[in-house]
Amino acid sequence: MPGVAENQPAEKPRHKPSRAPRTPMPEREAAERATDFDEVAIGYSQDDAIAEAMRCLQCRNPTCIDGCPVNIDIKSFIGHIIEGNWADGVAVLKERNALPAVCGRVCPQEEQCEAACVLAKKGEPVAIGRLERYLGDFDLACDIESRCVPELAPSSGFRVAVVGSGPAGLAAAGELARLGHAVTIFESLHAPGGVLSYGIPEFRLPKSIVNAEIEMLETAGVEIVLDSVIGQIETVEELMAPSEKGGSGYDAVFLGLGAGLPVFMGIPGENLNGVYSANEFLTRVNLMRAFDFPHADTPVWRGRKVAVVGGGNVAMDAARTAKRLGAEEVFLVYRRTEDEMPARREEVHHAREEGIEFKMLCSPSEITGREGWVTGLVATRMELGEADDSGRRSPVCVLGSEFPIECDTVIMAVGTRANPMLDRAAPDIETTRRGYILTDEEGATSVPGVFAGGDIVTGAATVILAMGAGKRSARAIDAWLREGKPGA
Amino acid sequence: MGVEAPRIARKVKAGQFLVLRVAEGGERIPLTFSDWSAEEGWIRFIFMRVGKTTHELSHLEVGDSIADVAGPLGQPTHVGDLGRVAVVGGGVGAAVAYSVARAMAEAGDEVTVILGARTADLLVLEEELRALPIKELVVMTDDGSVGRGGLVTAPLKELCESGAIDNAFAVGPAIMMKFCAATTAEFDVPTIVSLNPIMVDGTGMCGACRVTVGGETKFGCVDGPDFDGHAVNFEELLTRQRIYTDDERVADAEYSRGCQCQV
Ligand SMILES: Cc1cc2nc3c(=O)[nH]c(=O)nc-3n(C[C@H](O)[C@H](O)[C@H](O)COP(=O)(O)OP(=O)(O)OC[C@H]3O[C@@H](n4cnc5c(N)ncnc54)[C@H](O)[C@@H]3O)c2cc1C
Ligand SMILES: Cc1cc2nc3c(=O)[nH]c(=O)nc-3n(C[C@H](O)[C@H](O)[C@H](O)COP(=O)(O)OP(=O)(O)OC[C@H]3O[C@@H](n4cnc5c(N)ncnc54)[C@H](O)[C@@H]3O)c2cc1C
Ligand code: SF4
Ligand code: SF4
Ligand code: FES
């Protein structure tokens, strides 16, 4: 633990850290934003960014860096902001993180880099995520020619298939291309991006940003083949089989399939009309643009009273989306208390501001209906008992405490699992009991030449962890290919 | 409608389906393959115009392209050890019935096809079915305008009664599959139905397609589309298919207003 003395400005104090409070993020008014899908947080102005960067102590021993799962050199990129060298700052970010405009928006910074900043002890860490977003947006605003593109190594002659175009797949593809390999991404949906496209709503992560990042990858030579469900149109074995044997002849494969299978609770009434998985609800609205129905063709059932079951980011996104579709009342039904909610604080705060109600310490035991349509929930009150493995106190039912809640829509945001489609894509691959792929630290699976990373290995996690895993696997694939494929 | 799609054509097996989007902004809709050629690289499907997407599809001309086609999806129909089997196809279900009957016949099953339609004009694939090496083709129309008059369940029941079939396969409107399954249940003839719940992705990611089979929730797109007809909760399927009926009417009305066609 570095003492306070060591955290004084570095030897040549280039700047005098400002003592101002954390620069607030400019945001649109709750009343205005809760009726449309435009982004909530507007982003720092140049003055905001410099003011916030000036708060950084430029520590000799920057603890923030260890807090970032991909170890971005935070001190250095903030230093570049202080000096107004935007492009240099972007370059520092891109050494470690291919999608800074995305991570600056959606990383749980308060638990990662910002939690590890020395100023966090006083409760006001440097707003690292917001600064990262500032530089990421700066880069995306440049013409494609003047944007920061990593230099590509000379062509290696190897071809690698990446399955899935979520953050794990995109990061793996970007790094593999940089290392000189020819990369093809296979994506099952009609649009790339994984959860970034179909899950996280426009008001938190505009699709234009995701698309711009993907365009960059294509500029770097990555080919993206959409509408290709691996396991149905081709198996991993066929991807790797030589073309003489009717295969596609890839030298290695990276699997970034995500954990996309929605979980239901198994309670009566879950298949009534008006009950959605969060995945279906969000996919209809984000990917299929149902908010624009009938101009876009895909409909979504617009409830008046919507109950969202769950307490994570997915639940917040579903609740705020329902509000924007015109629901009069939206409430979260969560079995613990607000303190245990896994959602980001900022999003909980935004949800409250937008009028989402929180019904804590209760859990649905039944969904009631009439003529096939939802009319409400029966919920059971909960109490917090002993702490479980995760350190959170686990909820216990209070016997006989059932009470009805009236609603016409129920959205289940109680988690996702590995899609059993994996079994058809790669029947030989070793998996855990819960269906996730087993890998070593580098992402190598039990099948030589097949690597995996992201939610399909860890279970539902975060964008930055998936990207970190994708990049790590890309390097391992590179080493494996160049070392003459040992084990092949 | 035939589409050039060589990568898909190489892989299709009878009973599987595709998901397509006609154009940017379009809905993803599932349709079953009726025919395909791995060598020539094409696939074919038959659709009924029921709403906006199928309406748009009906206006495409030779040489036009479709924004997205993903497939083959779902599990292929199980064939080859069914013995004497009745394949019942109602309405556009005829498309599936055709490819499934062909696969069964090729695999050595003895196939009787019962083809049903409301009226003569809506009867499809009769010629093609006659050309298959099947035992018999029974044509039924509700109004008797061609073939026998009545519902497909009538000849199905006769086959069951005379002990002429070991297995049955039914595909068509949910209500038809429900009655076929009820008919064969009486005689304990195992019956597979090819379900058509509303879908979005078709890959197991959304759960829109959930159906209850034997008291358990299954995802139609990855666990199916084929299920044990005697275990399916058809009431639930019928209700779930109506979720968007009102919305869809709005979308098609809006589209039809701007559309020159008279139908
Ligand atoms: C609503 C929501 C909100 C979230 N909010 C946050 C947040 O604020 N911050 C945060 O850090 N994390 C958040 N997460 C979690 C984060 O999005 C995921 O951890 C991350 O996207 C995982 O990346 P991935 O690449 O492993 O998988 P995914 O993003 O799931 O991508 C997998 C891709 O693979 C494709 N695919 C799957 N199977 C096949 C196949 N057989 N063939 C071809 N393609 C296939 C899928 O279509 C998909 O495009 C959120 C998740 C959701 C659902
Ligand atoms: C596995 C499967 C195979 C199918 N095979 C065929 C086929 O070979 N030929 C054929 O004509 N039809 C088939 N269907 C039905 C076809 O998908 C619908 O008719 C089509 O989606 C209607 O789209 P629309 O926009 O024209 O009509 P809409 O106005 O959107 O809908 C009319 C009705 O069609 C059903 N429907 C709508 N959207 C979907 C959807 N995404 N998925 C499923 N059903 C929907 C609903 O009951 C709806 O009320 C199949 C469906 C499934 C699930
Ligand atoms: S990637 Fe995420 S954790 Fe790392 S510095 Fe950026 S915001 Fe922080
Ligand atoms: S961000 Fe915080 S920990 Fe990192 S260098 Fe600045 S003040 Fe130090
Ligand atoms: S259609 Fe989405 S899971 Fe089946």
Side-chain angles (χ1 to χ4, degrees), chain A residues 227 238 270 276-277 297 424, chain B residues 11 52 68 206 222 244:
Chain A
D227 299 315
E238 288 166 332
E270 262 182 321
Y276 280 114
S277 73
D297 296 346
R424 295 181 211 170
Chain B
K11 285 292 171 161
K52 175 173 173 187
D68 298 276
C206 75
V222 287
Y244 302 106

Side-chain angles (χ1 to χ4, degrees), chain A residues 184-189 223-228 250, chain B residues 7:
Chain A
T184 311
I185 300 183
F186 293 96
E187 165 59 48
S188 62
L189 295 173
E223 184 195 7
I224 304 184
V225 183
L226 300 171
D227 299 315
S228 297
Y250 287 97
Chain B
R7 279 182 69 219

Side-chain angles (χ1 to χ4, degrees), chain A residues 84-375:
Chain A
N85 295 329
W86 318 121
D88 292 343
V90 174
V92 170
L93 285 170
K94 293 229 168 163
E95 268 169 37
R96 296 272 166 177
N97 177 353
L99 312 177
V102 173
C103 291
R105 284 174 168 80
V106 305
C107 254
Q109 294 108 10
E110 65 280 10
E111 293 169 17
Q112 301 182 347
C113 50
E114 294 179 12
C117 167
V118 282
L119 295 179
K121 290 194 200 96
K122 299 209 185 94
E124 292 249 289
V126 176
I128 301 170
R130 295 170 184 173
L131 292 174
E132 180 166 335
R133 165 178 168 170
Y134 180 78
L135 286 182
D137 285 355
F138 167 84
D139 187 45
L140 290 181
C142 299
D143 317 330
I144 196 142
E145 299 82 48
S146 45
R147 274 158 61 181
C148 172
V149 196
E151 238 171 89
L152 303 185
S155 166
S156 68
F158 290 115
R159 295 168 67 235
V160 183
V162 169
V163 185
S165 64
L170 294 176
E175 186 70 2
L176 285 162
R178 198 177 71 80
L179 293 166
H181 309 299
V183 185
T184 311
I185 300 183
F186 293 96
E187 165 59 48
S188 62
L189 295 173
H190 61 262
V195 171
L196 306 181
S197 292
Y198 76 72
I200 305 181
E202 181 80 17
F203 57 81
R204 230 162 35 88
L205 178 64
K207 299 311 148 221
S208 56
I209 291 184
V210 180
N211 294 340
E213 298 283 20
I214 288 164
E215 199 185 323
M216 284 289 286
L217 271 186
E218 290 182 303
T219 313
V222 172
E223 184 195 7
I224 304 184
V225 183
L226 300 171
D227 299 315
S228 297
V229 187
I230 300 303
Q232 296 283 110
I233 192 159
E234 228 170 333
T235 62
V236 169
E237 198 179 344
E238 288 166 332
L239 283 173
M240 292 185 76
S243 47
E244 310 89 76
K245 291 191 184 154
S248 297
Y250 287 97
D251 298 293
V253 173
F254 174 78
L255 298 174
L257 306 170
L261 184 86
V263 171
F264 288 88
M265 293 180 71
I267 56 175
E270 262 182 321
N271 292 348
L272 287 165
N273 289 357
V275 183
Y276 280 114
S277 73
N279 265 11
E280 180 186 354
F281 184 71
L282 292 170
T283 299
R284 282 183 181 272
V285 178
N286 295 327
L287 182 68
M288 307 310 297
R289 309 188 72 74
F291 61 84
D292 202 17
F293 183 86
H295 302 291
D297 296 346
T298 306
V300 66
W301 164 248
R302 294 173 186 237
R304 273 187 321 107
K305 278 192 172 196
V306 181
V308 178
V309 183
N313 285 319
V314 184
M316 292 310 141
D317 285 345
R320 297 171 69 196
T321 297
K323 191 81 190 179
R324 283 164 172 74
L325 289 175
E328 289 155 21
E329 253 181 84
V330 182
F331 39 86
L332 284 171
V333 177
Y334 181 56
R335 59 199 181 123
R336 306 188 211 224
T337 71
E338 197 174 324
D339 290 340
E340 286 87 19
M341 280 207 287
R344 294 189 56 196
R345 292 297 109 195
E346 190 177 310
E347 304 310 338
V348 172
H349 172 69
H350 281 150
R352 255 194 211 292
E353 280 185 341
E354 289 165 13
I356 312 293
E357 271 176 71
F358 289 35
K359 292 190 196 287
M360 299 289 109
L361 285 171
C362 59
S363 173
S365 44
E366 184 183 345
I367 302 170
T368 51
R370 195 181 315 119
E371 288 166 15
W373 291 83
V374 171
T375 55

